[in-house]
Amino acid sequence: MAQKKYLQAKLTQFLREDRIQLWKPPYTDENKKVGLALKDLAKKYSDKLECCENEVEKIIEEIRCKAIERGTGNENYRTTGIATIEVFLPPRLKKDRKNLLETRLHITGRELRSKIAETFGLQENYIKIVINKKQLQLGKTLEEQGVAHNVKVMVLELKQSEEDVRKNFQLEEEEQNEAELKEKQIQRTKRGLEILAKRGTQSPFGFVTATGRSIRIPPSERKALMLAMGYHEKGRAFLKRKEYGIALPCLLDADKYFCECCRELLDTVDNYAVLQLDIVWCYFRLEQLECLDDAEKKLNLAQKCFKNCYGENHQRLVHIKGNCGKEKVLFLRLYLLQGIRNYHSGNDVEACEYLNKARQLFKELYIDPSKVDNLLQLGFTAQEARLGLRACDGNVDHAATHITNRREELAQIRKEEKEKKRRRLENIRCLKGMGYSTHAAQQALHAASGNLDEALKILLSNPQMWWLNDSNPETNNRQESPSQENIDRLVYMGFDALVAEAALRVFRGNVQLAAQTLAHNGGSLPPELPLSPEDSLSPPGTSPSDSAGTSSASTDEDMETEAVNEILEDIPEHEEDYLDSTLEDEEIIIAEYLSYVENRKSATKKN
């Protein structure tokens, strides 16, 4: 397959250089049949490439037919408005995976999915469509999503390919159940990430500096970054399991949310660069690299991000960490993908250069299994052993020291983070003791960067924050009419009786909050607070019917907890998990593509 793509790229290059138009005479006659001149052309190019003439002729004929189909489609689009899209089917389909489909652009994504499923014999509910590096949105029209004439469409299946072709009823039923589970899994992923982002809690994902310390994220970008990193971690979890069809939608969603973040933030760490590699790797493993028109752009972007993050020749990385051995794994994959892309584009020299770079890095990064065993016997994990050995150029003693020091550094960082969290919880408890809800306390402390005194000032200056309740029945069932005793207590403090009663209604009988607010505002309530009995009977967003839905709310909460836990389960324990690889796949692919390049070199020398 790779060699055929190479020949297609080289022949297309030759045709452009020679300005040959295959859809015109003498290569195509008036009936659009192949002309005799095509044989002479095949002979010329087969001699030039040292390839089988029949094979070259067959590929040129495929190019000619595609050109005629495209021309016919262009004419049809101009006259009727019916667009032609190029559909790339899943690898399991033995027939030609590149197919043309005619459609109008005012139809919805759901209608296009149905049409693709019906045309190519796929199950509609168990396929996903990727267009322009984004998932097709079912509810919007193709025009609204920027789909145009001659666009490339990639079809992903959620089912296991080996089982898909079996006709046994029981197996088909199992496949359907499996596809349903995978679709539900994707939906739970989305739900879990949305919940985490909405909560606004500290990100559980690894957006950290090279030293392992977390980075303060601007509030305006927190949600987008949290969603981006969540989708990336979920996609990487699927990549590890080689479930590329499910991984790709997650990675593309991550890319979408990363694009909402400022460039400066993305240049701070290597997450965005790693994502670009993961996306191109996923396309390659799905054998759909030709669908990714901007593969070169993504790889160049990754290289640029690595340079901004690590410095020229990795000097910033070496200065911070003392070495760059572990990060070389990323460059190995970068060079490998650049080599593959260049080979598929017919660029022999560039392909050879990048593939040899990848091979050289593989030799540097190869780990003797016996050294890993030595470190395992010392109580370290296999992952720690691989990362440690690569950081220390394969020296077992140095690796053991490196891992131990790293454990101690991370333990200290975790201790500091734990202390910071303890202080935050203590401050929240303090504010709750004053009558504020957990949610209000959290918001105020966040705005005050954790300073308790500043948080209290914020709450006193913004008494409406008291309405940020926790949906706690005990909080919501406060007395509707304040007691005379509480009114008298406020009057004794010097406040007007009517104002005191109104304040107690607003704060549901909480004397401390009422007193603090009145004192802060010169003995009166701020005009933005609700003063009518109707407003004060229940906090915004609640109603008498809410209690009837307690069971339903509990079920929803359980589902939310399940969705969030499923996300958290896929977050790796080791902060450098993305740098750990056995390189088994890379070794095989490097050898495979270098053999293709060497075969081309041999053929050229013979010529």
Side-chain angles (χ1 to χ4, degrees), residues 95 145 276 338 358 480 512 534:
K95 56 186 176 181
Q145 299 181 66
Q276 304 309 306
Q338 286 174 322
E480 296 178 5
Q512 189 173 8
E534 291 80 5

Side-chain angles (χ1 to χ4, degrees), residues 26-92:
Y27 308 104
T28 300
D29 63 23
E30 57 186 12
N31 297 318
K32 296 186 178 179
K33 301 292 183 183
V34 61
L36 295 175
L38 191 135
K39 272 192 170 295
D40 296 332
L41 193 64
K43 176 71 169 63
K44 173 185 172 182
Y45 289 156
S46 63
D47 290 344
K48 192 172 182 178
L49 290 167
E50 282 291 316
C51 290
C52 171
E53 184 178 336
N54 288 338
E55 186 178 359
V56 170
E57 183 180 351
K58 183 179 177 182
I59 293 175
I60 294 177
E61 173 60 7
E62 287 179 7
I63 296 172
R64 187 190 73 85
C65 290
K66 292 291 182 185
I68 292 173
E69 286 176 351
R70 181 175 285 264
T72 303
N74 291 342
E75 180 62 30
N76 189 43
Y77 180 62
R78 282 193 294 268
T79 57
T80 67
I82 298 177
T84 300
I85 60 175
E86 199 170 1
V87 181
F88 290 77
L89 298 171
R92 72 169 183 83

Side-chain angles (χ1 to χ4, degrees), residues 581-598:
S581 173
T582 62
L583 298 180
E584 292 172 356
D585 290 344
E586 286 84 350
E587 180 183 15
I588 294 169
I589 296 167
I590 290 170
E592 178 187 352
Y593 275 84
L594 276 174
S595 70
Y596 298 152
V597 172
E598 291 301 324

